[in-house]
Amino acid sequence: MLPEPGPAIEVTDLRKVYGEKAAVDGLTLRVERGCFFGFLGPNGAGKTTTIRMLMGLAPATSGTIRILGHDMPGDAVAIKSKIGLVPDDTLLFDHLTGGEFIEFVGRMYGLGRPLAHQRTSELLELFELHGAGRKLIGEYSKGMKKRVAMAAALIHRPELYLLDEPFEGVDAVGARLMKDILLDQVRQGATIFLTSHVLEVVERLCDRVAIINQGRIAVDGPLSELRAGVAADPDRPGTPETLEDIFVRVVGGPARASESIDWL
């Protein structure tokens, strides 16, 4: 399917204040449909808070959010029906099996029981979770929980995926499978909004990147253009920067260990 016209996400001057501290401070962002978008930042920069506002789980203090042509929170139900979410803390039900949870999510999104059951079986097979049998989610490893969360996000074929650290704790085989599935979803016209601390993964998957620091956007643009800047290494002028180079330069990396502790 071809992406519909207009942005998947359009955020203007978004703020979220807790007490006297702004976790997100004047965020303006546009994510086009069909884009694999990387949303990066150091710990505490405001990434998860932003995703929670996009999902309607945390009300914004001020600013506007428009997702897939709908306003949040006014059209929250319509928006949520078109979104697949993999949260950082994998909000799963520990006392269900993986299959029960995935099928439950499918039913919540309006799938009929036979279709939800069929898709659940196929997703369990795809994510190699069928061997877990009657084992409860509370007994799963972190990587298995991420696989269940990803499968549940896929079951209703959403237009937009919000993925908060989806590869954390997932082994190399599982991560490769998840990456291939996500890339295929983008090829089919879906939009992916990804946060990850694994910059090599972002660099390989994303075509556009924004870096948030202290609640504000520090860098936003196509990854190819960002990497075409001056190299961080003065001995290699003109060499394209890696995403890690860009990230450390933008957020202000620490001094080298050999410079900060003499005896190391």
Side-chain angles (χ1 to χ4, degrees):
M1 62 179 179
L2 293 175
E4 295 181 22
I9 300 173
E10 192 167 25
V11 171
T12 304
D13 201 22
L14 191 65
R15 299 186 80 242
K16 179 62 177 177
V17 178
Y18 294 102
E20 297 182 356
K21 177 175 174 54
V24 174
D25 190 8
L27 182 73
T28 295
L29 193 65
R30 181 184 173 101
V31 179
E32 300 297 337
R33 298 187 194 231
C35 178
F36 206 134
F37 191 92
F39 190 58
L40 312 178
N43 292 330
K47 302 186 301 298
T48 297
T49 300
T50 299
I51 284 186
R52 289 179 62 82
M53 287 191 286
L54 294 178
M55 275 299 298
L57 298 177
T61 303
S62 62
T64 62
I65 301 173
R66 190 165 177 83
I67 297 177
L68 299 171
H70 299 277
D71 293 321
M72 176 67 80
D75 300 328
V77 174
I79 291 170
K80 290 177 182 179
S81 70
K82 300 178 180 182
I83 289 178
L85 175 68
V86 178
D88 182 30
D89 48 3
T90 55
L91 301 174
L92 310 179
F93 297 160
D94 285 350
H95 298 293
L96 296 180
T97 67
E100 288 170 343
F101 177 78
I102 295 166
E103 187 167 343
F104 167 76
V105 171
R107 297 285 287 143
M108 289 292 290
Y109 278 111
L111 300 183
R113 189 179 300 276
L115 180 58
H117 184 74
Q118 176 191 336
R119 288 189 178 182
T120 295
S121 297
E122 293 170 347
L123 287 165
L124 288 173
E125 186 78 24
L126 178 64
F127 283 94
E128 299 181 349
L129 291 165
H130 51 283
R134 301 302 300 171
K135 189 175 181 180
L136 299 180
I137 290 174
E139 304 172 63
Y140 284 12
S141 67
K142 186 165 189 175
M144 289 178 68
K145 289 180 178 179
K146 285 289 187 179
R147 291 189 191 206
V148 170
M150 178 69 80
L154 288 162
I155 193 167
H156 60 299
R157 295 201 64 198
E159 296 178 37
L160 171 65
Y161 294 86
L162 301 178
L163 310 179
D164 198 0
E165 299 289 348
F167 308 112
E168 186 179 13
V170 180
D171 62 34
V173 174
R176 176 63 179 270
L177 172 64
M178 290 164 67
K179 293 171 195 172
D180 288 345
I181 291 171
L182 293 174
L183 287 169
D184 187 57
Q185 290 297 297
V186 171
R187 282 191 288 268
Q188 294 184 51
T191 307
I192 295 179
F193 187 89
L194 165 74
T195 78
S196 177
H197 285 112
V198 186
L199 299 184
E200 293 86 351
V201 170
V202 175
E203 192 161 21
R204 199 172 119 194
L205 295 178
C206 296
D207 43 64
R208 191 177 184 94
V209 168
I211 299 176
I212 184 173
N213 192 30
Q214 298 181 352
R216 299 186 175 193
I217 294 294
V219 166
D220 179 13
L223 185 55
S224 58
E225 292 182 10
L226 297 179
R227 292 188 68 245
V230 178
D233 185 349
D235 295 328
R236 298 184 299 129
T239 304
E241 289 186 297
T242 65
L243 183 56
E244 182 182 78
D245 293 332
I246 298 166
F247 184 90
V248 172
R249 172 168 53 80
V250 167
V251 306
R256 296 186 181 185
S258 60
E259 298 172 354
S260 58
I261 302 179
D262 292 339
W263 53 267
L264 282 179

